[in-house]
Amino acid sequence: MTKTGFMINLFQRYYEKKRVIYRRRQFSTAVSKNYPQVQQRKGWSYMEQEIEVLLQGYQFRKFYEKKFEVFMNRYNLRKIDVEILTYLYFCGERNTASDIQRLGLFTKGHISQSLERLNRANLIHTEHDIRDRRIVHIAAGKDALPIILEARKLKQEIFEQAFRGITEEEKKVLNEVARKVWSNMEEALNK
């Protein structure tokens, strides 16, 4: 998964969880008035709840999709199509369907359908590997370049809005923490 994709997912989860916590607080306030023995989750600090919100990311996903809606309609693309095109433009040698799947953002079936759509629209081209004909390399076509550049610009605007008021030092700390969290999850998944 790219660092950008990870950060998008991280913020999507954060904002969704934040909304859930807000509802929980409203509910727990109402419940605690009538049932004093019921309390908020035991053992959870406020910070842990905020982090869980960050990791869920629903609010960021909504924000992201709202910003991309006009763009995707203009080019008749879906979110996965835009993500795959952007990935293919910057991925270098890791340009197979398996490499895209390793990002962990999409299922094999969704990737296959998206590649089919992109191929029909002449936005990608494929080529069999010289050493192993079973491997198919995928590259973004020339027609995809303006779409990719516009998508990158739009993503930059989204991140500028999301990170408004956050200092460069705070971004570095967040990036380091995100890298460690990512590493911990990868390690746990690979056990």
Side-chain angles (χ1 to χ4, degrees), residues 26-65:
Q26 287 180 321
F27 176 75
S28 67
T29 303
V31 168
S32 62
K33 288 178 185 175
N34 298 323
Y35 305 96
Q37 70 276 15
V38 178
Q39 297 178 356
Q40 189 179 19
R41 280 180 161 168
K42 289 190 176 185
W44 273 45
S45 70
Y46 180 73
M47 184 181 86
E48 288 168 328
Q49 292 175 0
E50 289 294 306
I51 289 171
E52 190 174 340
V53 168
L54 180 64
L55 293 174
Q56 293 300 320
Y58 176 76
Q59 188 71 17
F60 187 81
R61 185 172 56 244
K62 253 175 70 171
F63 170 62
Y64 183 88
E65 288 172 357

Side-chain angles (χ1 to χ4, degrees), residues 7 170-182:
M7 292 304 291
E170 290 171 327
K171 288 179 189 176
K172 286 178 185 175
V173 169
L174 178 61
N175 193 33
E176 185 61 31
V177 169
R179 187 179 298 119
K180 288 178 182 177
V181 169
W182 177 258

